[in-house]
Amino acid sequence: MNSTQNIVVLTGAGMSAESGVPTFRGVDGLWEGHHIEEVASPEGFARNPALVHRFYNLRRAALKCVEPNAGHRALAMLESEWTGGFLLVTQNVDDLHERAGSRKLLHMHGELRKVRCEACYAVAVWENDLDAGTVCPACGETGAMRPHIVWFGEIPFEMETIAAALKSADLFLCIGTSGLVYPAAGFAQRVSNECRLIELNIESTEISRHFHEHIVGAVSAELPKLVESILRAR
Ligand code: BJW
């Protein structure tokens, strides 16, 4: 890895699992007991805004009870010590990466601690509950506020910046994602032929075949070791 200049890291729900944030799929996953379309699509929100607000209000409140784990801290250290290009792209809507110290960070699926107005498009930091009667602090419209989250069928944020970073990456790390949701699941196929690809997950995934190396294990144990080996090989 001594010729590595530009690093891109993609993280998914497995990154925050050991902090106590539930993943989506699998036993005890967030989707258990919910139809995805009901809580994570614009159509579901239009049909039953109260249900969708409740789903996100509970998750926003739960953020106050969780802390970054050793994996989040390792990525923040990699960013601060790496002198080449670095971009952390997370699919996660929690704020654990920034709380661990990450700054070169994009939330491609949005953020639980932000809301936006569908009337004036203003985005606001939001710590409390949201409901169908919430008034937009920017334009005064009632009932137009929604979670600042990318639902199925919507275009993820910052796609142009991410595409450019992937194109110039020579190390791509993919951490704790099932590889079932696009476009993130296709990132490993968008890097150049020279790029080294490493996947870290507790199990093999739908996209494992696209990676040169697989680290099977939990982020809190394995990511600090991986970061150390990348920094040592400079
Ligand atoms: C650990 C661990 C530990 C656990 N250590 N590992 C047919 C074919 C292809 C695509 C489509 C299709 N039909 C529709 C689409 C597109 C659709 C899509 O992909 N659907 C699939 C279901 C097929 N995608 C979209 O609609 C996206 N938009 C889009 O494509 O727009 C078009 C466009 C794109 C680009 C340019 C121009 C146009 C939008 C997707 C929005 C996803 N939103 C969600 C919910 C909102 C956020 C929220 O409520 O929190 O985002 S869905 C949900 O899945 C969430 C996640 O970010 C996302 C990914 O899940 P993730 O992170 O992988 O979690 P899990 O639970 O699946 O996996 C956890 C992993 O961790 C597992 O592998 C574990 O093993 C591992 N793990 N503990 C290490 N300790």
Side-chain angles (χ1 to χ4, degrees):
M1 278 185 261
N2 53 6
S3 60
T4 303
Q5 277 301 315
N6 298 322
I7 302 178
V8 176
V9 185
L10 172 70
T11 62
M15 183 78 224
S16 299
E18 291 164 271
S19 292
V21 181
T23 61
F24 292 91
R25 298 160 184 88
V27 183
D28 294 333
L30 270 175
W31 294 152
E32 253 199 356
H34 285 286
H35 290 292
I36 300 180
E37 322 78 57
E38 278 176 13
V39 290
S41 75
E43 296 78 17
F45 183 53
R47 261 195 308 273
N48 193 344
L51 174 80
V52 176
H53 281 311
R54 188 167 165 275
F55 180 69
Y56 287 97
N57 287 343
L58 288 171
R59 290 173 60 199
R60 192 178 306 111
L63 277 189
K64 292 174 183 153
C65 309
V66 297
E67 296 291 337
N69 63 52
H72 294 103
R73 290 192 291 275
L75 287 180
M77 184 173 86
L78 179 59
E79 176 189 320
S80 74
E81 299 206 359
W82 190 252
T83 49
F86 182 89
L87 181 64
L88 170 54
V89 180
T90 187
Q91 298 169 85
N92 298 344
V93 296
D94 65 54
D95 60 349
L96 295 178
H97 281 305
E98 41 274 68
R99 279 203 253 158
S102 290
R103 293 296 173 263
K104 294 175 184 169
L105 165 71
L106 297 176
H107 280 276
M108 65 177 289
H109 289 165
E111 294 172 68
L112 267 178
R113 290 182 63 239
K114 289 185 181 167
V115 298
R116 73 171 182 270
C117 174
E118 294 201 295
C120 73
Y121 305 109
V123 176
V125 172
W126 207 262
E127 303 295 346
N128 301 315
D129 286 356
L130 196 63
D131 63 45
T134 304
V135 175
C136 172
C139 71
E141 183 82 14
T142 302
M145 301 297 279
R146 60 164 277 183
H148 192 49
I149 298 286
V150 179
W151 288 324
F152 284 107
E154 298 183 321
I155 299 178
F157 298 133
E158 306 280 3
M159 286 310 297
E160 282 181 21
T161 308
I162 296 169
L166 289 169
K167 220 168 144 188
S168 63
D170 27 37
L171 176 62
F172 176 64
L173 310 179
C174 184
I175 320 280
T177 179
S178 56
L180 291 169
V181 176
Y182 286 84
F187 288 175
Q189 292 160 278
R190 294 175 64 177
V191 297
S192 74
N193 290 338
E194 289 72 43
C195 181
R196 183 141 204 86
L197 296 104
I198 304 177
E199 181 183 56
L200 194 167
N201 200 300
I202 49 172
E203 59 187 22
S204 65
T205 69
E206 284 296 309
I207 52 173
S208 290
R209 65 187 180 282
H210 300 300
F211 291 81
H212 301 114
E213 282 173 49
H214 303 275
I215 299 169
V216 180
V219 291
S220 66
E222 299 302 327
L223 197 44
K225 288 190 255 174
L226 175 61
V227 165
E228 203 188 312
S229 73
I230 293 168
L231 290 173
R232 222 184 307 116
R234 272 180 296 182

